Amino acid sequence: MVKNYLLSIILFFIFSNSHAQVEHVAVRKNLSIFPKLADKQYGNITYYEICDSLGLVTLDSLQITSFKLQYISEKGETLTMVLGNNIPDSICVTLGMFGINTPIFITDILAESSTGDTYLLPSLNFYIAEDDE
């Protein structure tokens, strides 16, 4: 009986250590990949903020490479694939024509890191608001 008890203790230590945790794991802290447009992530945004020359940016060292922009145009609901991080001037003009409370959805935002890794970033949702001026 003592042999079985010792054997079970030895087997317990052998098998429990086979799945032991690794002591040192590299974890990247504070990865802030949330995109912003004119320092906003959602809610009301003015026409001038939509057409901000900085375009979509992230707080980390990620470069936004493309995104989809859904908005209302003279053709109705429009979905456009945009390369780069800026909303094109032609779309800015269209957005300006449709006035306040027009919804804008920015989805499928792709960004690339300096190491070449690609990230799919969270979507942004806005409504065009009146200028604060």
Side-chain angles (χ1 to χ4, degrees):
M1 183 164 173
V2 174
K3 285 183 185 182
N4 287 340
Y5 179 71
L6 289 174
L7 182 60
S8 63
I9 290 175
I10 291 170
L11 289 174
F12 172 76
F13 282 113
I14 290 172
F15 288 112
S16 65
N17 286 334
S18 67
H19 300 289
Q21 291 181 337
V22 177
E23 253 184 69
H24 301 285
V25 176
V27 176
R28 182 172 179 176
K29 296 180 181 179
N30 298 326
L31 179 62
S32 187
I33 60 172
F34 293 99
K36 290 186 176 188
L37 179 60
D39 206 32
K40 295 182 178 184
Q41 293 178 318
Y42 59 89
N44 291 335
I45 191 167
T46 67
Y47 167 78
Y48 295 105
E49 290 172 325
I50 293 167
C51 301
D52 184 14
S53 62
L54 292 177
L56 292 173
V57 295
T58 62
L59 298 179
D60 263 329
S61 59
L62 298 177
Q63 180 63 42
I64 294 176
T65 56
S66 66
F67 59 93
K68 289 182 182 173
L69 181 64
Q70 186 175 356
Y71 59 98
I72 304 295
S73 72
E74 62 276 355
K75 298 175 186 173
E77 192 173 309
T78 303
L79 180 65
T80 302
M81 177 68 156
V82 178
L83 296 178
N85 69 323
N86 286 6
I87 296 176
D89 291 339
S90 59
I91 294 175
C92 284
V93 169
T94 300
L95 294 174
M97 291 180 354
F98 285 89
I100 62 171
N101 296 325
T102 300
I104 301 166
F105 304 102
I106 301 174
T107 60
D108 295 337
I109 304 168
L110 295 178
E112 190 173 296
S113 70
S114 57
T115 60
D117 295 328
T118 301
Y119 295 88
L120 177 61
L121 305 183
S123 298
L124 303 174
N125 302 317
F126 297 108
Y127 286 93
I128 299 177
E130 289 186 59
D131 293 333
D132 293 334
E133 299 174 9

